[in-house]
Amino acid sequence: VLWASAIIFNFSMSFTLDLAQQVEALNIDGAWGVIRDLINITFIFAILWIAIQTVLGIGDSKKFLASIIISALLINFSLFFTKVIIDASNILALQFYSSITGGNLNSSVSAGGGVSDQFMNRLRLGTIYDSKTGESLIAKDASKYIMVGIFGSIFILITAIVFFFAAILMFVRSVLLILFMITSPIWFAGAWIPRLKEQHDKWTSGFFNQILVAPVFLILVWIVLKITEPATTALTTNKTIAAVAGN
């Protein structure tokens, strides 16, 4: 379970931090183009309606004309600006990722490493049991076997659950950012059209919340690993958790 959760977590980090490649593979530009074209058609009808009102001398929609024209121009660049913000967020996150793993994203994951490996090294979970025999590495003492069996298993399961939840967090971020990219024309249109202002505010809040997830998560991970580094050094001196418990 721990191995599977670590693999899924590493993959989720790779997926969300390399979102540009996923976007290209999923043809997000095509889906975004459909939304943009639908809004542009709406703008055309809105401008025609304003023109009819002006000719007939009814209503007072001319004040919205400038907003519609500005929105119609900006939504054509909405995907570009959204991608720039996402890339900036991922570049920041990648700096901390590289500092944590000691390598770039592709090399860390392809080599079976990643953020999960750093936690495994800090916790020394791989030293509780002998991977070949499945037996505890602690001296053959019944009481110590029970202690390692119970508390070692609990520790491993907690770590696995943390990895699973972190993976879900990153996958959700990726999916939501893709949806935000597709619907970015609505975001830009809402900035200038009063009736879409509420949707614009919700979109903005949700988008920037997800933008911050990866950088903040990796910054906190980096801080935790730095704080626990002295303890890891002490464990390394004793080689294994088994040696510590045996003493």
Side-chain angles (χ1 to χ4, degrees):
V1 173
L2 179 61
W3 172 82
S5 65
I7 294 296
I8 294 171
F9 172 59
N10 286 339
F11 177 75
S12 71
M13 289 297 303
S14 174
F15 189 91
T16 196
L17 295 181
D18 195 19
L19 201 57
Q21 183 176 346
Q22 318 307 330
V23 166
E24 184 177 352
L26 293 171
N27 190 26
I28 299 302
D29 292 29
W32 167 81
V34 172
I35 301 294
R36 178 203 58 192
D37 293 342
L38 288 174
I39 294 179
N40 278 330
I41 291 172
T42 304
F43 284 157
I44 291 172
F45 283 111
I47 292 173
L48 286 174
W49 176 243
I50 291 173
I52 292 171
Q53 285 187 319
T54 302
V55 171
L56 297 178
I58 59 175
D60 185 22
S61 300
K62 288 187 289 184
K63 60 183 180 180
F64 297 119
L65 182 60
S67 297
I68 292 174
I69 293 174
I70 292 173
S71 298
L73 291 173
L74 288 179
I75 63 172
N76 292 288
F77 302 96
S78 59
L79 182 59
F80 170 77
F81 288 123
T82 306
K83 285 182 176 180
V84 167
I85 297 172
I86 293 173
D87 286 343
S89 168
N90 285 346
I91 289 172
L92 175 61
L94 280 169
Q95 300 307 309
F96 285 93
Y97 182 92
S98 298
S99 178
I100 291 168
T101 62
N104 60 49
L105 182 64
N106 294 328
S107 64
S108 296
V109 175
S110 62
V115 176
S116 67
D117 270 23
Q118 301 305 312
F119 273 104
M120 294 291 289
N121 292 336
R122 288 287 193 275
L123 298 173
R124 311 291 290 173
L125 292 181
T127 68
I128 295 179
Y129 297 103
D130 187 328
S131 60
K132 293 181 179 179
T133 65
E135 295 181 354
S136 169
L137 293 172
I138 296 179
K140 294 185 177 181
D141 183 319
S143 63
K144 290 178 180 177
Y145 268 119
I146 293 173
M147 292 295 288
V148 172
I150 294 174
F151 292 103
S153 298
I154 291 173
F155 203 11
I156 287 172
L157 285 174
I158 290 174
T159 307
I161 291 171
V162 170
F163 283 164
F164 273 126
F165 274 103
I168 291 172
L169 187 69
M170 294 304 159
F171 279 127
V172 169
R173 175 184 187 264
S174 302
V175 172
L176 289 178
L177 287 181
I178 289 172
L179 291 176
F180 283 133
M181 281 187 277
I182 293 173
T183 59
S184 58
I186 300 175
W187 179 41
F188 275 71
W192 298 95
I193 299 176
R195 292 186 179 181
L196 293 177
K197 181 64 176 172
E198 183 178 352
Q199 285 70 25
H200 168 80
D201 293 341
K202 290 180 179 178
W203 195 102
T204 303
S205 176
F207 177 67
F208 283 100
N209 284 341
Q210 295 305 318
I211 281 293
L212 293 173
V213 166
V216 170
F217 177 82
L218 287 171
I219 289 170
L220 293 176
V221 168
W222 181 80
I223 292 172
V224 168
L225 293 177
K226 286 295 181 183
I227 292 173
T228 57
E229 192 169 1
T232 305
T233 304
L235 281 176
T236 303
T237 303
N238 289 283
K239 301 301 182 184
T240 64
I241 286 179
V244 175
N247 293 329

